[in-house]
Amino acid sequence: MKNSKIRVTVWNEYMDEQKQPAVASVYPEGLHKTIAEFLNMEEDIEASTSVITDAEQGLSEEALGGADVLIWWGHVHHGEVEDRLVRRVVDRVQRGMGIIFLHSAHKSKPFMTLLGTTGYLSWREAEERCRIWTASPAHPIAEGVPGQFVLEHEEMYCEPFGIPRPDDTVFISWFQGGNVFRSGVTFQREYGRIFYFQPGHETYPTYHNKHVRQVIINAVRWAKPVAQIAARDCPKVEALEKI
Ligand code: ZN
């Protein structure tokens, strides 16, 4: 039974600023622990966590080795992630591992490398209301998610968003200050499925919201590998028919 579960690694920076009272009051053990905890309440998911201060910045072969899906939360330490580890993550996605980028992971090296764009957006931290609209109700990531729901406080991210044209725009968000954003978008890079989801500023209780949790649970199930390749070398093959 254990092997049939979707194995998830939740990666977070979790440096000192995430241990400050403003964040710790919302996520006492770090938001990565909160995310892993609600994922582990699902029978078909087995989640573990790693952080940037772990061995090989939490991206060791051990940490990634069994992962079907990697969840990435980063904010102010993107530049510190070693390029060789970024290549390891990108390589795994291209060969089939799913990856879910949360909130400010839009400027992480794996996000920009996989998508080939800047992740440009504009932002504002003003305790404003955010209304998330389900733009693709038939998408598996939207299953059980209402047509729209409200987060009382969220950091505003707005268009234009520096991403390639998504395969699907599952969610769009409206912010109290008038801005809008493609807040839930999917991509595929070779064998790997990619989902970006904007809500999740560290001082707001976003990952305690039941709809946000449902989106992330759905995204894990959607992003699990469908097919994988072991090697990257281009093999020479024999002809199937007489030439
Ligand atoms: Zn933020």
Side-chain angles (χ1 to χ4, degrees):
M1 187 63 196
K2 189 167 185 281
N3 289 337
S4 65
K5 291 193 177 190
I6 306 167
R7 293 160 300 178
V8 180
T9 299
V10 185
W11 186 90
N12 184 11
E13 291 172 349
Y14 201 48
M15 297 284 271
D16 288 344
E17 65 277 1
Q18 279 190 52
K19 297 169 186 170
Q20 298 299 315
V23 185
S25 63
V26 187
Y27 304 109
E29 293 182 274
L31 55 87
H32 54 299
K33 294 284 188 189
T34 299
I35 293 169
E37 197 174 86
F38 73 72
L39 288 175
N40 277 325
M41 288 165 68
E42 300 299 307
E43 279 190 358
D44 58 337
I45 298 174
E46 184 175 276
S48 59
T49 61
S50 65
V51 295
I52 200 170
T53 47
D54 287 348
E56 289 198 285
Q57 301 190 309
L59 301 167
S60 65
E61 296 287 356
E62 294 71 43
L64 293 182
D68 296 310
V69 179
L70 177 64
I71 294 180
W72 190 285
W73 198 101
H75 190 198
V76 291
H77 299 280
H78 296 315
E80 295 163 36
V81 180
E82 294 174 34
D83 289 342
R84 68 183 182 90
L85 299 172
V86 173
R87 276 196 300 278
R88 181 181 290 169
V89 170
V90 168
D91 176 69
R92 280 180 186 273
V93 173
Q94 290 170 335
R95 287 191 289 122
M97 180 180 75
I99 191 163
I100 298 169
F101 291 104
L102 296 176
H103 192 53
S104 40
H106 64 97
K107 290 304 283 184
S108 67
K109 289 180 182 178
F111 183 91
M112 292 191 290
T113 305
L114 281 162
L115 298 187
T117 51
T118 61
Y120 174 94
L121 53 77
S122 303
W123 60 278
R124 177 172 63 234
E125 239 186 281
E127 306 257 309
E128 65 195 280
R129 192 182 319 124
C130 167
R131 191 180 295 273
I132 298 167
W133 289 90
T134 302
S136 302
H139 196 282
I141 296 178
E143 191 177 341
V145 180
Q148 53 84 24
F149 65 98
V150 171
L151 298 174
E152 282 305 326
H153 294 131
E154 188 47 79
E155 181 179 7
M156 190 285 294
Y157 280 4
C158 76
E159 300 283 343
F161 189 13
I163 50 172
R165 184 175 298 173
D167 291 339
D168 284 298
T169 300
V170 188
F171 302 102
I172 54 175
S173 292
W174 166 90
F175 294 86
Q176 199 172 355
N179 307 80
V180 295
F181 190 61
R182 288 170 288 172
S183 52
V185 285
T186 70
F187 305 91
Q188 176 129 11
R189 290 294 179 269
E190 294 188 49
Y191 287 71
R193 290 181 171 185
I194 300 167
F195 180 57
Y196 170 78
F197 192 47
Q198 178 268 331
H201 186 66
E202 69 271 21
T203 57
Y204 304 133
T206 300
Y207 298 121
H208 296 294
N209 178 281
K210 66 177 180 179
H211 302 309
V212 168
R213 290 182 172 199
Q214 189 64 58
V215 169
I216 295 171
I217 291 165
N218 290 346
V220 163
R221 291 180 180 137
W222 171 83
K224 75 178 180 191
V226 176
Q228 299 188 73
I229 47 169
R232 298 183 63 83
D233 297 332
C234 301
K236 179 188 176 189
V237 295
E238 299 302 323
L240 298 175
E241 301 187 32
K242 187 173 171 56
I243 299 169

Coordinates of all heavy atoms in Angstrom, one line a residue, residues 73-75 103-104 123 125 154-157 198 200-204, ligand 1:
W73 N 8.4 26.4 -2.1 CA 8.1 27.7 -1.6 C 9.4 28.4 -1.3 O 10.2 28.0 -0.5 CB 7.3 27.6 -0.3 CG 6.5 28.8 0.1 CD1 5.2 29.1 -0.1 CD2 7.1 30.0 0.6 NE1 4.9 30.4 0.3 CE2 6.1 31.0 0.7 CE3 8.4 30.4 1.1 CZ2 6.3 32.3 1.3 CZ3 8.6 31.7 1.6 CH2 7.5 32.6 1.7
G74 N 9.6 29.5 -2.0 CA 10.8 30.3 -1.8 C 10.4 31.8 -1.9 O 9.4 32.1 -2.5
H75 N 11.2 32.6 -1.4 CA 10.9 34.0 -1.4 C 12.1 34.9 -1.5 O 12.3 35.5 -2.6 CB 10.1 34.4 -0.1 CG 9.5 35.8 -0.2 ND1 9.1 36.5 0.9 CD2 9.3 36.6 -1.3 CE1 8.6 37.7 0.5 NE2 8.7 37.8 -0.8
H103 N 3.3 30.6 -4.5 CA 3.5 32.0 -4.2 C 4.7 32.7 -4.9 O 4.8 32.7 -6.1 CB 3.5 32.2 -2.7 CG 3.4 33.7 -2.2 ND1 2.4 34.5 -2.7 CD2 4.2 34.4 -1.4 CE1 2.5 35.7 -2.2 NE2 3.6 35.7 -1.4
S104 N 5.7 33.1 -4.1 CA 6.8 33.8 -4.7 C 7.9 32.9 -5.3 O 9.0 33.4 -5.6 CB 7.4 34.8 -3.7 OG 7.5 34.2 -2.4
W123 N 3.7 43.7 -7.4 CA 3.2 43.2 -6.1 C 2.9 44.4 -5.2 O 3.3 45.5 -5.4 CB 4.2 42.2 -5.5 CG 5.5 42.9 -5.2 CD1 6.6 43.0 -6.1 CD2 6.0 43.5 -4.0 NE1 7.6 43.7 -5.5 CE2 7.3 43.9 -4.2 CE3 5.4 43.6 -2.7 CZ2 8.0 44.6 -3.2 CZ3 6.1 44.3 -1.7 CH2 7.4 44.7 -2.0
E125 N 1.9 44.7 -0.8 CA 1.6 44.1 0.5 C 0.7 45.1 1.3 O 1.2 46.0 1.9 CB 2.9 43.8 1.3 CG 3.0 42.3 1.6 CD 4.2 42.1 2.5 OE1 5.3 42.1 2.0 OE2 4.0 41.9 3.7
E154 N -4.3 38.8 1.4 CA -3.3 38.1 0.6 C -2.4 39.2 0.0 O -2.9 40.3 -0.2 CB -3.9 37.2 -0.4 CG -3.0 36.3 -1.2 CD -2.0 35.6 -0.3 OE1 -2.4 34.6 0.3 OE2 -0.8 36.0 -0.2
E155 N -1.2 38.8 -0.3 CA -0.3 39.8 -1.0 C -0.8 39.9 -2.4 O -1.2 38.8 -3.0 CB 1.1 39.2 -1.0 CG 2.1 40.2 -1.7 CD 3.5 39.7 -1.6 OE1 3.8 38.5 -1.2 OE2 4.4 40.4 -2.1
M156 N -0.8 41.1 -3.0 CA -1.3 41.3 -4.3 C -0.2 41.0 -5.3 O 0.9 41.5 -5.2 CB -1.8 42.7 -4.5 CG -2.5 43.0 -5.8 SD -1.5 43.1 -7.3 CE -0.6 44.6 -6.9
Y157 N -0.4 40.1 -6.3 CA 0.4 39.9 -7.4 C -0.4 40.2 -8.7 O -1.6 39.8 -8.7 CB 0.9 38.5 -7.6 CG 2.0 38.0 -6.7 CD1 2.6 38.9 -5.7 CD2 2.6 36.8 -6.8 CE1 3.6 38.5 -4.9 CE2 3.6 36.3 -6.0 CZ 4.2 37.2 -5.1 OH 5.2 36.7 -4.3
Q198 N -0.6 31.1 -6.9 CA -0.1 32.3 -6.3 C -0.4 32.5 -4.8 O 0.4 33.1 -4.1 CB -0.7 33.5 -7.1 CG -0.4 34.9 -6.5 CD -1.4 35.4 -5.5 OE1 -2.6 35.1 -5.6 NE2 -0.9 36.2 -4.6
G200 N -0.5 32.5 -0.8 CA 0.4 31.9 0.1 C 1.5 32.7 0.7 O 2.6 32.3 1.1
H201 N 1.2 34.1 0.9 CA 2.2 34.9 1.5 C 2.3 34.4 3.0 O 1.3 34.1 3.7 CB 1.7 36.4 1.5 CG 2.7 37.3 2.1 ND1 3.9 37.5 1.5 CD2 2.7 38.1 3.2 CE1 4.6 38.4 2.2 NE2 3.9 38.7 3.2
E202 N 3.5 34.5 3.5 CA 3.9 33.8 4.7 C 3.3 34.4 6.0 O 3.2 33.7 7.0 CB 5.4 33.7 4.9 CG 6.1 35.0 5.2 CD 6.5 35.7 3.9 OE1 5.9 35.5 2.8 OE2 7.4 36.6 4.0
T203 N 2.8 35.6 6.0 CA 2.2 36.2 7.2 C 0.7 36.0 7.2 O 0.1 36.5 8.2 CB 2.6 37.7 7.4 OG1 2.1 38.4 6.2 CG2 4.1 37.8 7.5
Y204 N 0.1 35.4 6.2 CA -1.3 35.2 6.2 C -1.7 33.7 6.3 O -0.9 32.9 5.8 CB -1.9 35.8 4.9 CG -1.6 37.2 4.6 CD1 -1.2 37.7 3.4 CD2 -1.8 38.2 5.6 CE1 -0.9 39.0 3.1 CE2 -1.5 39.5 5.4 CZ -1.0 39.9 4.2 OH -0.7 41.2 3.9
Ligands
ZN1 ZN 4.7 37.1 -0.3

